[in-house]
Protein backbone atom coordinates (compact mmCIF):
# COMPACT_ATOMS: atom_id res chain seq x y z
CA UNK A 1 0.00 0.00 0.00
CA UNK A 2 1.35 3.39 -0.95
CA UNK A 3 0.75 6.42 1.27
CA UNK A 4 -0.22 9.80 -0.07
CA UNK A 5 2.33 12.61 0.00
CA UNK A 6 0.40 14.33 2.82
CA UNK A 7 0.41 11.16 4.92
CA UNK A 8 4.11 10.64 4.27
CA UNK A 9 4.91 14.25 5.26
CA UNK A 10 2.79 13.99 8.43
CA UNK A 11 4.53 10.76 9.44
CA UNK A 12 7.94 12.24 8.71
CA UNK A 13 7.19 15.39 10.73
CA UNK A 14 6.00 13.20 13.61
CA UNK A 15 9.25 11.19 13.44
CA UNK A 16 11.29 14.41 13.44
CA UNK A 17 9.39 15.71 16.47
CA UNK A 18 9.96 12.40 18.28
CA UNK A 19 13.64 12.51 17.37
CA UNK A 20 13.97 16.14 18.54
CA UNK A 21 12.27 15.32 21.86
CA UNK A 22 14.50 12.27 22.36
CA UNK A 23 17.62 14.31 21.54
CA UNK A 24 16.60 17.08 23.94
CA UNK A 25 16.01 14.54 26.73
CA UNK A 26 19.35 12.84 26.00
CA UNK A 27 21.22 16.17 26.14
CA UNK A 28 19.50 17.10 29.41
CA UNK A 29 20.51 13.74 30.89
CA UNK A 30 24.12 14.15 29.70
CA UNK A 31 24.17 17.72 31.06
CA UNK A 32 22.98 16.62 34.50
CA UNK A 33 25.51 13.78 34.54
CA UNK A 34 28.35 16.10 33.48
CA UNK A 35 27.45 18.75 36.05
CA UNK A 36 27.31 16.14 38.83
CA UNK A 37 30.68 14.77 37.69
CA UNK A 38 32.18 18.29 37.62
CA UNK A 39 31.05 18.88 41.19
CA UNK A 40 32.24 15.46 42.38
CA UNK A 41 35.73 15.99 40.93
CA UNK A 42 35.90 19.67 41.96
CA UNK A 43 36.24 21.00 38.42
CA UNK A 44 36.36 24.77 38.16
CA UNK A 45 33.38 26.55 36.62
CA UNK A 46 33.81 27.22 32.91
CA UNK A 47 33.77 30.64 31.29
CA UNK A 48 31.90 31.59 28.13
CA UNK A 49 28.38 32.12 26.91
CA UNK A 50 25.63 30.16 28.65
CA UNK A 51 25.35 27.80 25.68
CA UNK A 52 29.14 27.35 25.39
CA UNK A 53 29.49 26.65 29.11
CA UNK A 54 26.81 23.94 29.01
CA UNK A 55 28.42 22.33 25.96
CA UNK A 56 31.92 22.76 27.42
CA UNK A 57 30.91 20.99 30.65
CA UNK A 58 29.69 18.00 28.64
CA UNK A 59 32.82 18.01 26.45
CA UNK A 60 35.17 18.25 29.45
CA UNK A 61 33.41 15.31 31.10
CA UNK A 62 33.61 13.21 27.93
CA UNK A 63 37.25 14.12 27.16
CA UNK A 64 38.48 13.41 30.69
CA UNK A 65 36.43 10.21 31.09
CA UNK A 66 37.75 8.86 27.76
CA UNK A 67 41.31 9.83 28.69
CA UNK A 68 41.04 8.15 32.11
CA UNK A 69 39.82 4.96 30.49
CA UNK A 70 42.53 4.98 27.80
CA UNK A 71 45.44 6.14 29.97
CA UNK A 72 44.75 4.60 33.38
CA UNK A 73 42.36 1.68 32.97
CA UNK A 74 43.69 0.44 29.62
CA UNK A 75 47.11 2.14 29.58
CA UNK A 76 50.11 2.47 31.81
CA UNK A 77 49.38 5.80 33.51
CA UNK A 78 49.32 5.46 37.31
CA UNK A 79 46.62 6.97 39.52
CA UNK A 80 49.26 9.40 40.84
CA UNK A 81 50.12 10.53 37.32
CA UNK A 82 46.40 10.88 36.56
CA UNK A 83 45.92 13.16 39.59
CA UNK A 84 48.54 15.51 38.09
CA UNK A 85 46.76 15.44 34.71
CA UNK A 86 43.44 16.15 36.44
CA UNK A 87 44.95 19.08 38.36
CA UNK A 88 46.16 20.60 35.09
CA UNK A 89 42.74 20.05 33.52
CA UNK A 90 41.14 21.97 36.41
CA UNK A 91 43.10 25.08 35.40
CA UNK A 92 41.48 25.27 31.96
CA UNK A 93 38.24 27.15 32.35
CA UNK A 94 37.53 28.45 28.85
CA UNK A 95 34.54 26.43 27.63
CA UNK A 96 35.66 26.83 24.02
CA UNK A 97 38.92 24.99 24.73
CA UNK A 98 37.03 21.90 25.90
CA UNK A 99 34.64 22.14 22.96
CA UNK A 100 37.63 22.31 20.58
CA UNK A 101 39.14 19.17 22.16
CA UNK A 102 35.95 17.08 22.03
CA UNK A 103 37.21 14.94 19.12
CA UNK A 104 40.80 14.63 20.29
CA UNK A 105 42.46 11.29 20.93
CA UNK A 106 42.50 10.41 24.65
CA UNK A 107 46.24 9.73 24.50
CA UNK A 108 46.88 13.31 23.38
CA UNK A 109 45.31 14.90 26.46
CA UNK A 110 48.55 15.55 28.36
CA UNK A 111 50.11 17.27 25.36
CA UNK A 112 46.94 19.29 24.68
CA UNK A 113 46.76 20.44 28.31
CA UNK A 114 50.38 21.59 28.16
CA UNK A 115 49.73 23.45 24.91
CA UNK A 116 46.80 25.40 26.37
CA UNK A 117 47.44 29.13 26.39
CA UNK A 118 46.92 31.81 29.02
CA UNK A 119 43.56 32.67 27.45
CA UNK A 120 42.37 29.15 28.29
CA UNK A 121 43.25 29.55 31.97
CA UNK A 122 41.85 32.07 34.46
CA UNK A 123 44.07 34.83 35.76
CA UNK A 124 42.72 34.45 39.27
CA UNK A 125 41.79 31.58 41.57
CA UNK A 126 38.05 30.80 41.05
CA UNK A 127 37.79 29.50 44.62
CA UNK A 128 38.75 32.77 46.35
Amino acid sequence: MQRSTDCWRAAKEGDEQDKAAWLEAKRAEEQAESEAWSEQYRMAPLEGSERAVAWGVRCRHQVLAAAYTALVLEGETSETEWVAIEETARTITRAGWWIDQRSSEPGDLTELLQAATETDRPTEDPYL
Side-chain angles (χ1 to χ4, degrees):
M1 180 176 129
Q2 198 168 18
R3 291 193 286 182
S4 71
T5 303
D6 290 339
C7 290
W8 178 82
R9 280 193 186 121
K12 185 173 179 182
E13 286 173 12
D15 288 348
E16 287 173 4
Q17 288 173 348
D18 290 346
K19 184 178 177 182
W22 176 86
L23 189 56
E24 188 175 328
K26 180 77 172 153
R27 281 198 182 128
E29 180 183 323
E30 287 175 357
Q31 191 67 38
E33 228 177 78
S34 296
E35 287 173 3
W37 175 90
S38 293
E39 195 172 306
Q40 179 182 351
Y41 290 97
R42 301 176 337 274
M43 292 292 156
L46 296 182
E47 300 165 351
S49 70
E50 187 177 330
R51 187 171 176 214
V53 167
W55 191 13
V57 166
R58 288 193 314 271
C59 291
R60 176 174 61 185
H61 178 213
Q62 293 164 352
V63 166
L64 290 174
Y68 182 83
T69 298
L71 300 174
V72 179
L73 300 180
E74 298 171 355
E76 297 181 10
T77 301
S78 70
E79 286 287 342
T80 304
E81 291 168 316
W82 177 256
V83 169
I85 292 169
E86 201 173 68
E87 284 299 320
T88 303
R90 278 189 189 92
T91 68
I92 300 176
T93 59
R94 189 175 67 83
W97 189 90
W98 290 104
I99 293 166
D100 292 345
Q101 309 315 317
R102 70 187 182 279
S103 299
S104 62
E105 290 296 319
D108 294 339
L109 180 62
T110 304
E111 190 176 324
L112 292 168
L113 289 170
Q114 291 171 351
T117 65
E118 289 178 14
T119 59
D120 300 317
R121 302 173 197 277
T123 53
E124 57 188 62
D125 188 340
Y127 297 106
L128 292 178

